[in-house]
Structure formats: structure tokens, C-alpha cells
Amino acid sequence: MQPNYVYAAKLERVVDGDTYELMVDLGCSVWHKLTVRLLGVNTPETKGETREAGLAATREAERFFTDHHTLVIELRKEPKQRVDAFRRYLALIYGTNFFPGHQESLAEHLLATHNAVLFRAE
């Protein structure tokens, strides 16, 4: 198993329930804008028949980022899982709120609030 890469990040924009634009801290005062797709879950689309559920998932993701001021992302090293068909990096996202040392997974939060379902890429 290859190592994962862990970075501090700041939210730039919630694209939809499972896609985000982040500024990633690479260290030494170097920041890089990255579009990421949340690994392991899928949220409804914001267009078509699932529009209302997709918008609800987007709002819940926005709420998560509002409640979690410090973000950590974990990027996967495996070549087949690094980027998806839309060239988004696949990442796990964790947020820390007002309780020091307590990190919450965004994917688990969206699952717990019924705004996402488990997803495993083939």
C-alpha cells in the first residue's frame, strides 16, 4: 500500500455535495488550488430529478465547512484512485471544530445526515 498525503486546506467553494475547490497548504508558504471529489460517498446531482436532494446535500456540506474551521485533506497515492474522470483529485476531508483534537469526517457526516450514500469506484 502506498502512503497517503495529508495537507491543511481552506475552502474556496462548495461546487456540490461531494465536490469542492480548496486551497491546499503545501508547506513553505506555498498554496495550490485543487478541485477534489469526496472519496467513498456519492451525493445526489443538483440537476434533473434529484435537484432538491442535491441542493440539500450541498447546503449540508456548506454547513459542515462553516462549523469546522480547520480542514485537513488526505489524498490517495494509488494511481487508479488519484483522479476521477473529471480530473478531480479524490480525497478524504476532515474538519476540526471548537473541540481541540476532535476531527470529523465530512463523508461520515454526509452519510449520518442522509445526504450521501456509500460509493466505491470500480
Side-chain angles (χ1 to χ4, degrees):
M1 175 183 241
Q2 297 285 346
N4 297 326
Y5 295 91
V6 179
Y7 303 96
K10 293 181 183 178
L11 177 70
E12 284 286 302
R13 178 171 81 102
V14 173
V15 177
D16 62 23
D18 53 27
T19 304
Y20 319 99
E21 290 179 357
L22 302 171
M23 289 301 293
V24 179
D25 183 356
L26 302 178
C28 299
S29 301
V30 177
W31 290 80
H32 180 72
K33 188 172 185 176
L34 199 63
T35 301
V36 300
R37 164 71 164 77
L38 193 56
L39 184 64
V41 298
N42 193 31
T43 61
E45 297 300 321
T46 56
K47 297 178 179 154
E49 294 179 14
T50 61
R51 178 175 169 73
E52 290 305 315
L55 293 174
T58 301
R59 286 189 299 271
E60 191 59 39
E62 289 169 341
R63 188 172 308 126
F64 178 90
F65 288 113
T66 299
D67 292 345
H68 296 84
H69 304 287
T70 303
L71 300 177
V72 174
I73 66 167
E74 183 177 325
L75 299 176
R76 297 298 174 146
K77 176 67 174 164
E78 296 88 5
K80 289 185 178 182
Q81 293 183 349
R82 195 177 65 176
V83 293
D84 69 1
F86 299 101
R87 308 287 303 153
R88 300 172 295 189
Y89 280 81
L90 302 178
L92 297 172
I93 300 175
Y94 301 93
T96 302
N97 57 19
F98 300 107
F99 301 105
H102 174 75
Q103 285 188 339
E104 184 178 7
S105 162
L106 175 56
E108 290 177 11
H109 175 79
L110 291 173
L111 288 168
T113 58
H114 307 288
N115 286 287
V117 294
L118 287 174
F119 176 75
R120 184 175 188 125
E122 297 299 323

